[in-house]
Amino acid sequence: MDDKRKEQYHETVTREPIMVTDEDERLVNSFFNSHPIEVSDQGFSHRVMRHLPKTAWQMNRIWTIVCTLLGILLLFLNKGVQALCGSISGLWADLSTNMLYHQSLLMTYLALICVLMVGGYMAATSER
């Protein structure tokens, strides 16, 4: 075997990463840019998704509901609601006091409302 083949064999056997230069990256990118691959499935993926069993989706929903209810139950049983409310009120008081002297209080509240709205939106759209 010549040196190049020995090197390729060694890289294949040892599974060490092959060093790629910027020139190699440029050549690969230019090749794929000039030879785009169009894969038309003619609605195949949509048909497959429609024919998947509904039980998996239903089990996912049931499992999510059971875990959520169990988490809420454990939160109430371990007096987590009181601890959570105490932490939030303490955080709110510290935030209000601290930001009053360093930033506009209105801007702090607007930022907090914005974060809550984005979080609510993300939670609402994650189920789709």
Side-chain angles (χ1 to χ4, degrees):
M1 275 196 263
D2 62 346
D3 289 336
K4 187 171 184 174
R5 286 187 183 254
K6 284 182 183 178
E7 186 177 313
Q8 288 174 345
Y9 175 77
H10 175 73
E11 289 171 351
T12 305
V13 171
T14 60
R15 299 194 187 278
E16 292 177 5
I18 300 172
M19 298 301 291
V20 178
T21 63
D22 290 336
E23 179 66 20
D24 293 337
E25 281 289 324
R26 188 187 62 74
L27 287 173
V28 168
N29 287 335
S30 68
F31 174 79
F32 282 115
N33 287 337
S34 63
H35 298 89
I37 299 171
E38 294 290 329
V39 178
S40 63
D41 65 355
Q42 299 169 348
F44 174 75
S45 300
H46 186 65
R47 288 192 307 269
V48 167
M49 294 304 289
R50 278 191 318 206
H51 287 92
L52 287 177
K54 298 290 184 197
T55 57
W57 182 80
Q58 291 169 344
M59 290 302 292
N60 183 22
R61 282 287 195 191
I62 291 170
W63 183 247
T64 302
I65 291 170
V66 167
C67 288
T68 302
L69 292 175
L70 185 62
I72 291 171
L73 179 69
L74 287 174
L75 191 68
F76 278 106
L77 288 177
N78 292 322
K79 298 186 182 189
V81 175
Q82 291 88 357
L84 191 60
C85 289
S87 296
I88 290 174
S89 66
L91 177 68
W92 190 259
D94 289 344
L95 179 70
S96 299
T97 306
N98 198 12
M99 293 298 168
L100 184 63
Y101 298 110
H102 298 292
Q103 292 180 359
S104 168
L105 190 59
L106 177 63
M107 291 303 292
T108 303
Y109 288 135
L110 288 176
L112 185 61
I113 289 171
C114 184
V115 167
L116 290 174
M117 288 177 66
V118 168
Y121 174 77
M122 295 302 290
T125 58
S126 68
E127 291 296 320
R128 292 184 198 168

